[in-house]
Amino acid sequence: MSTPSAPGGPAAPDPRGGPAGPGGPAGPGATGPAGPAVPPTPGGAAPGGDAAPVCPRHPDRVSYVRCQRCGRPACPECQRPAAVGIHCVDCVAQAARTAPVARTALGGTVRAGRPVVTLTIIALCVVSFGLQQLVPAWTTRWAFAPVLGAEEPWRFVTAAFLHSTRSIVHLAFNMLALWAVGPFLEQSLGRARFVALYGLSALGSSVAVLLLASPTGGWLTFVVGASGAVFGLFGAVLVVMRRLGRSARGILGVLAVNLVLGFVVPGISWQGHLGGLVVGAVVGAAFAYAPRPRRRAVAVGTSVAVAVLLVALAAGTYLSVGLL
């Protein structure tokens, strides 16, 4: 309690530092009238303070780590290590969509991982070889014979996925050759142009058999094997490596030996090898030497033009002998 002052004198100050009385001055250190006491909030946070940061993708997770790009909080599941700090998954995805596509010298998309197209072709040939062993009519259903091509034109291409059933050596050699050059061309040209190159080489191989074989005997013989298409890949590799300034002497030697074998060893279709080689070299040259701004147009135009030319040659041959 306060000490009363002498009558008529000023009020004595309150020794506890509180106000001297109603309307009196405040005690030491006070700047104004004291307000009501405010109870503390749970956890010690001041009222009106910022809420704890949470991950936008997982609002139930508190995170004090922020993305270096957008500044938003990111929980451990949404954090991605970056060269500087941490990025969130949304910024990483956006950067991947807008990043420039790395391309080879010939315009193919640089891809990490296995050569998908080459492996797919090998798998199709291996599966088809197994079906040739298990299904008696599989070979005759899909093999190419010029006399059958007019009514069943799919044989011009499907024969490239068949091989001799007498020995697995035929399949093994062709698949080894395909694996030797396929991944390189697939990476250099890109998947789409590689598929076009392989398909047109296979078609050109069968058309050459039609044009160069004797109608009285050779047209009745079934022709199978991926060697014509593989020869097309070798022809393209020669052009591509020359375009890139690399030596192709080893491939030239392999080509020379195999071409000679086609003429001296019975049972090998030199016509198919020659046709695939020529078509592959022509298509590969168009793909390799196309101007950079017009690569897509040249690729599409060349593929269509070569396909139309081969179909026209086959149709003209069949018309000349009365099969169309």
Side-chain angles (χ1 to χ4, degrees), residues 105-130:
L106 301 182
T109 303
V110 177
R111 301 178 186 273
R114 299 179 178 180
V116 175
V117 177
T118 302
L119 290 175
T120 300
I121 295 173
I122 293 175
L124 289 174
C125 290
V126 171
V127 170
S128 182
F129 183 78

Side-chain angles (χ1 to χ4, degrees), residues 60-296:
D60 59 327
R61 303 177 187 177
V62 176
S63 176
Y64 291 93
V65 178
R66 295 183 177 272
C67 173
Q68 295 296 314
R69 289 174 63 93
C70 65
R72 298 184 303 171
C75 69
E77 184 178 342
C78 296
Q79 295 173 12
R80 297 294 183 267
V84 178
I86 295 294
H87 290 176
C88 66
V89 290
D90 295 324
C91 288
V92 171
Q94 182 181 7
R97 289 192 298 268
T98 58
V101 179
R103 296 193 177 276
T104 64
L106 301 182
T109 303
V110 177
R111 301 178 186 273
R114 299 179 178 180
V116 175
V117 177
T118 302
L119 290 175
T120 300
I121 295 173
I122 293 175
L124 289 174
C125 290
V126 171
V127 170
S128 182
F129 183 78
L131 291 173
Q132 287 180 262
Q133 307 297 323
L134 299 174
V135 182
W138 186 261
T139 301
T140 56
R141 181 70 182 84
W142 303 107
F144 176 71
V147 72
L148 301 176
E151 294 184 357
E152 300 174 350
W154 58 83
R155 293 176 179 267
F156 279 87
V157 176
T158 56
F161 298 94
L162 303 174
H163 289 82
S164 173
T165 57
R166 294 191 298 269
S167 173
I168 199 174
V169 175
H170 186 210
L171 171 69
F173 271 111
N174 281 340
M175 296 303 100
L176 285 174
L178 174 59
W179 182 251
V181 297
F184 169 74
L185 286 174
E186 182 177 345
Q187 180 79 320
S188 299
L189 300 176
R191 291 175 180 174
R193 288 188 293 177
F194 180 70
V195 169
L197 173 64
Y198 190 88
L200 290 172
S201 298
L203 177 61
S205 174
S206 297
V207 171
V209 173
L210 171 67
L211 297 177
L212 301 177
S214 172
T216 58
W219 280 27
L220 302 176
T221 303
F222 281 113
V223 180
V224 296
S227 54
V230 171
F231 263 81
L233 299 185
F234 275 109
V237 163
L238 289 176
V239 180
V240 168
M241 295 189 74
R242 181 178 180 83
R243 169 69 174 80
L244 298 176
R246 300 168 61 177
S247 174
R249 293 180 180 178
I251 297 177
L252 280 173
V254 173
L255 275 176
V257 170
N258 281 275
L259 283 174
V260 171
L261 289 177
F263 286 97
V264 299
V265 176
I268 297 179
S269 174
W270 62 267
Q271 300 95 334
H273 292 178
L274 182 61
L277 177 64
V278 172
V279 171
V282 170
V283 175
F287 290 169
Y289 287 94
R292 178 175 298 181
R294 302 175 58 188
R295 278 174 177 159
R296 182 183 296 272

